[in-house]
């Protein structure tokens, strides 16, 4: 059955590529085009419909951006039904929103999305804010620099970069998510091509989809992305940028080897693309075998847009971070920041500057490491001793997450596992949340120990194992 034979372009103001994309979406929703069906080649469909190739390319790009198609490199475009993943994402989000502070004490939050626990010393924060107000008075509420509090910029450069950066390149942002958004608005245009890790941070995927760019995914291995597949995409496509989380990648917990970082930087120069480096948890290294050398430290040709968040190490809920712009994009990214929210809270910037310059952050980082390494060790021990036959994982050696994949004999849909665990007040993040296609990640999930103390970890892991076994037994008809 040729579903395209009855399609006719309307003679109205709606662009032809939009009309075609809407028609194909309707056919997918009605299941006349089934999940996984290969869409016609660009040349074939353009000939059948009497339009140029650009119209078909634009229609297919729109379908991909809206979740109705995906691309296999070297093979073509394929249909997918959007609503399953979309509806589950809404269900996941709504389930977490419904958690009230009153019942958080009864919940095991392996998602890390709630704020049941704050390990930052609140008294320190009070003292810092009082000191800033006494010192600066009303000026504490005023911004002296649209790019951020000048003293904070200088302090960041001195303490974290040994004054090796240009202060003009540093922009204070309201957390890593805003940094990604600013970078995206500043350098990406509609239908630009970008590469992301597979899987990757859902917040970044959301930003890139809003920018209507074409996403290419490269599988991530134990020490970073697969370089062979990465370079093949670079050879066939004009790539604008590569988004990466270089330490404790979300969700996999993987950190890049120095060798892969150097090679990727070389490729950035060869193929003329830029790297957006999201460094959000590099302070939480638990093993000496893991050395801290971000892409930006190795960046000799100004190819890296570096984004750093203080939200996990300063205070959850107080969104602060900074972005380091390559000189070529400095003005563009500054304008992008100003157009987003003009300025970030002056009071909290001054408090952060006092916190960093006074060296109080070092003790807090040590205390966080001491606490989180205990949770990491406990969860790793349970996984090794109790889940060896059930699942596999790559040891992150730091950070706040484990990313787990179920073995064949215990393979269940982790969206179903999420729903089952939710009834028992245990919350996980199913793997599908970190992919562009609903077909991926169905047998994987992420566990975070960011909001779980030792008692909750013990309880949650016991319930997790019970529910996996229960679902598997039901599937087998026991």
């Amino acid at each position: 059955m040729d579903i395209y034979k009855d399609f006719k372009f309307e003679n109205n103001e709606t662009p032809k590529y939009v009309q075609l994309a809407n028609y194909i979406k309707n056919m997918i929703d009605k299941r006349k085009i089934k999940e996984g069906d290969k869409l016609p080649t660009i040349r074939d469909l353009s000939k059948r419909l009497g339009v140029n190739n650009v119209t078909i390319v634009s229609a297919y790009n729109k379908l991909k951006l809206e979740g109705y198609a995906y691309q296999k490199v070297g093979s073509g475009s394929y249909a997918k039904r959007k609503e399953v993943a979309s509806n589950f994402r809404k269900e996941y989000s709504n389930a977490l929103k419904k958690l009230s502070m009153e019942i958080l004490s009864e919940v095991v939050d392996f998602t890390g999305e709630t704020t049941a626990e704050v390990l930052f010393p609140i008294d320190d924060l009070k003292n810092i804010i009082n000191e800033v107000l006494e010192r600066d008075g009303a000026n504490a509420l005023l911004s002296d620099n649209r790019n951020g509090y000048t003293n904070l910029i200088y302090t960041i450069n001195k303490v974290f970069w040994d004054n090796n950066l240009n202060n003009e390149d540093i922009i204070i942002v309201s957390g890593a998510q805003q940094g990604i958004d600013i970078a995206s608005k500043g350098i990406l245009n509609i239908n630009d091509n970008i590469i992301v890790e597979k899987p990757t941070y859902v917040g970044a995927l959301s930003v890139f989809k809003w920018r209507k760019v074409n996403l290419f995914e490269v599988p991530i291995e134990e020490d970073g992305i697969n370089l062979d597949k990465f370079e093949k995409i670079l050879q066939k496509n004009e790539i604008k940028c590569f988004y990466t989380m270089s330490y404790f990648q979300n969700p996999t917990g993987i950190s890049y080897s120095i060798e892969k970082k150097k090679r990727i930087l070389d490729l950035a120069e060869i193929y003329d693309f830029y790297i957006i480096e999201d460094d959000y948890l590099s302070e939480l290294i638990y093993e000496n075998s893991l050395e801290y050398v971000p892409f930006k430290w190795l960046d000799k040709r100004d190819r890296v847009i570096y984004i750093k968040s203080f939200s996990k190490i300063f205070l959850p809920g107080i969104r602060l971070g900074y972005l380091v712009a390559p000189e070529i994009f400095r003005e563009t990214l500054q304008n992008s920041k100003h157009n987003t929210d003009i300025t970030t809270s002056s009071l909290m910037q001054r408090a952060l500057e006092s916190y960093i310059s006074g060296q109080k952050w070092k003790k807090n980082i040590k205390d966080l490491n001491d606490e989180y390494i205990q949770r990491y060790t406990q969860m790793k021990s349970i996984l090794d001793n109790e889940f060896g036959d059930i699942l596999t994982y790559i040891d992150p050696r730091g950070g706040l997450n484990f990313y787990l994949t179920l073995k064949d004999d215990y393979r269940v849909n982790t969206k179903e596992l999420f729903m089952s665990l939710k009834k028992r007040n245990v919350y996980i993040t199913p793997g599908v949340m970190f992919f562009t296609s609903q077909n991926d990640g169905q047998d994987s999930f992420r566990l975070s120990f960011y909001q779980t103390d030792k008692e909750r970890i013990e309880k949650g892991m016991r319930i997790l194992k019970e529910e996996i076994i229960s679902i598997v037994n039901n599937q087998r008809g026991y």
Side-chain angles (χ1 to χ4, degrees):
M1 176 183 175
D2 183 0
I3 66 162
Y4 300 96
K5 68 177 182 179
D6 296 325
F7 173 73
K8 296 288 188 296
F9 289 108
E10 299 290 335
N11 189 17
N12 56 34
E13 295 181 357
T14 304
K16 287 184 177 180
Y17 82 91
V18 175
Q19 294 183 44
L20 177 58
N22 289 340
Y23 174 78
I24 295 175
K25 284 193 293 185
N26 188 40
M27 293 297 101
I28 294 172
D29 287 337
K30 291 180 177 180
R31 292 180 170 81
K32 292 186 178 180
I33 300 177
K34 297 179 182 178
E35 175 87 21
D37 280 357
K38 186 175 182 179
L39 299 178
T41 65
I42 293 167
R43 181 182 297 177
D44 179 43
L45 194 53
S46 66
K47 186 179 294 185
R48 275 199 267 176
L49 299 181
V51 295
N52 59 37
N53 288 353
V54 174
T55 299
I56 309 302
V57 170
S58 298
Y60 282 6
N61 284 336
K62 182 175 174 60
L63 291 170
K64 293 166 193 170
L65 289 169
E66 295 182 5
Y68 279 89
Y70 61 96
Q71 185 176 27
K72 292 183 180 179
V73 178
S75 177
S77 298
Y78 293 78
K80 70 176 180 180
R81 295 191 66 231
K82 177 185 176 184
E83 70 272 10
V84 176
S86 177
N87 285 346
F88 177 74
R89 284 189 170 92
K90 290 178 183 177
E91 190 164 1
Y92 174 85
S93 179
N94 289 336
L96 297 183
K97 286 177 183 177
K98 289 177 182 178
L99 291 177
S100 65
M101 294 302 295
E102 289 75 21
I103 65 168
L104 281 178
S105 59
E106 305 170 11
V107 167
V108 178
D109 173 25
F110 284 141
T111 71
E113 301 285 352
T114 63
T115 53
E117 178 182 59
V118 176
L119 295 181
F120 186 87
I122 299 299
D123 287 341
D124 278 1
L125 179 63
K126 290 178 182 177
N127 292 336
I128 290 170
I129 290 177
N130 287 336
E131 288 170 6
V132 168
L133 289 171
E134 288 178 10
R135 183 192 69 197
D136 299 342
N139 288 331
L141 306 178
L142 303 175
S143 176
D144 70 338
N145 182 345
R146 293 179 71 192
N147 296 332
Y149 177 47
T150 300
N151 287 358
L152 175 58
I153 289 173
Y154 291 169
T155 297
I156 286 171
N157 198 357
K158 177 182 177 181
V159 172
F160 300 119
W161 296 91
D162 294 326
N163 286 323
N164 286 319
L165 298 179
N166 185 335
N167 289 322
E168 295 296 316
D169 294 338
I170 301 174
I171 305 170
I172 304 301
V173 296
S174 301
Q177 185 71 19
Q178 187 187 66
I180 298 167
D181 185 58
I182 288 168
S184 179
K185 289 176 180 176
I187 71 171
L188 296 175
N189 297 310
I190 292 175
N191 285 335
D192 276 347
N193 298 321
I194 77 166
I195 296 177
V196 298
E197 297 152 340
K198 182 180 183 180
T200 192
Y201 170 47
V202 66
L205 287 177
S206 177
V207 169
F208 297 140
K209 286 178 180 178
W210 274 106
R211 293 302 296 165
K212 297 185 175 6
V213 298
N214 303 318
L215 292 172
F216 292 84
E217 297 175 288
V218 178
I220 194 163
E221 302 172 329
E222 290 193 22
D223 63 343
I225 54 166
N226 181 306
L227 287 181
D228 289 338
K229 293 182 178 180
F230 186 68
E231 188 161 9
K232 284 179 182 177
I233 292 175
L234 294 172
Q235 290 168 347
K236 295 180 181 179
N237 304 274
E238 185 178 338
I239 299 299
K240 190 68 171 286
C241 75
F242 166 50
Y243 169 76
T244 178
M245 306 181 88
S246 51
Y247 282 88
F248 313 123
Q249 193 258 5
N250 188 1
T252 64
I254 286 167
S255 299
Y256 278 69
S257 66
I258 294 177
E259 291 74 24
K260 278 200 172 176
K261 289 174 187 170
K262 290 179 178 178
R263 180 56 183 160
I264 290 169
L265 284 164
D266 287 341
L267 292 173
E269 188 68 15
I270 294 168
Y271 293 98
D272 191 22
F273 66 89
Y274 288 84
I275 299 166
I276 300 177
E277 180 178 18
D278 183 356
D279 179 7
Y280 82 123
L281 280 182
S282 56
E283 294 80 7
L284 302 179
I285 293 175
Y286 307 142
E287 291 190 9
N288 293 332
S289 61
L290 193 57
E291 185 179 3
Y292 177 60
V293 183
F295 277 95
K296 192 62 183 175
W297 280 16
L298 302 169
D299 183 22
K300 306 301 182 186
R301 301 181 182 92
D302 216 16
R303 285 280 170 182
V304 177
I305 300 171
Y306 177 87
I307 299 169
K308 178 67 187 176
S309 172
F310 291 110
S311 298
K312 292 287 191 296
I313 61 171
F314 182 43
L315 186 66
I318 296 179
R319 313 298 299 175
L320 281 173
Y322 67 95
L323 179 153
V324 181
E327 184 178 356
I328 190 174
F329 292 128
R330 179 197 297 163
E331 186 175 351
T332 301
L333 294 179
Q334 288 173 350
N335 290 336
S336 178
K337 161 63 177 174
H338 305 159
N339 292 335
T340 300
D341 67 356
I342 302 178
T343 188
T344 300
S345 168
S346 178
L347 176 60
M348 296 316 302
Q349 287 189 68
R350 291 166 188 258
L352 178 59
E353 191 280 328
S354 178
Y355 172 63
I356 295 172
S357 62
Q359 303 294 303
K360 291 184 178 180
W361 66 278
K362 289 187 176 180
K363 181 180 184 305
N364 191 40
I365 292 298
K366 182 183 182 304
D367 291 343
L368 286 176
N369 269 275
D370 289 345
E371 174 60 33
Y372 288 137
I373 196 170
Q374 291 182 47
R375 300 183 186 188
Y376 156 81
T377 302
Q378 180 191 18
M379 185 172 281
K380 185 176 185 301
S381 176
I382 294 173
L383 288 171
D384 291 343
N385 295 322
E386 301 293 332
F387 288 81
D389 295 333
I390 296 175
L391 50 77
T392 62
Y393 71 95
I394 295 173
D395 183 1
R397 298 179 291 165
L400 297 172
N401 308 312
F402 284 88
Y403 189 69
L404 312 168
T405 301
L406 295 164
K407 292 184 177 180
D408 288 345
D409 288 344
Y410 290 89
R411 187 161 291 172
V412 301
N413 189 310
T414 52
K415 288 183 289 187
E416 180 183 350
L417 180 61
F418 170 84
M419 302 305 296
S420 178
L421 287 167
K422 186 179 75 165
K423 296 175 183 177
R424 299 184 67 179
N425 277 336
V426 176
Y427 291 79
I428 63 170
T429 307
V432 70
M433 299 292 292
F434 306 102
F435 294 87
T436 60
S437 169
Q438 69 178 48
N439 297 318
D440 293 315
Q442 295 193 31
D443 59 351
S444 63
F445 58 102
R446 188 192 68 186
L447 294 185
S448 171
F449 45 87
Y450 176 48
Q451 291 292 322
T452 52
D453 55 24
K454 294 179 184 178
E455 183 179 343
R456 284 191 177 93
I457 289 174
E458 190 76 36
K459 175 184 176 182
M461 297 299 280
R462 173 178 52 80
I463 293 173
L464 172 65
K465 185 175 182 179
E466 290 172 359
E467 289 303 312
I468 292 173
I469 292 173
S470 175
I471 295 173
V472 169
N473 286 340
N474 285 337
Q475 289 177 347
R476 294 171 178 171
Y478 296 162

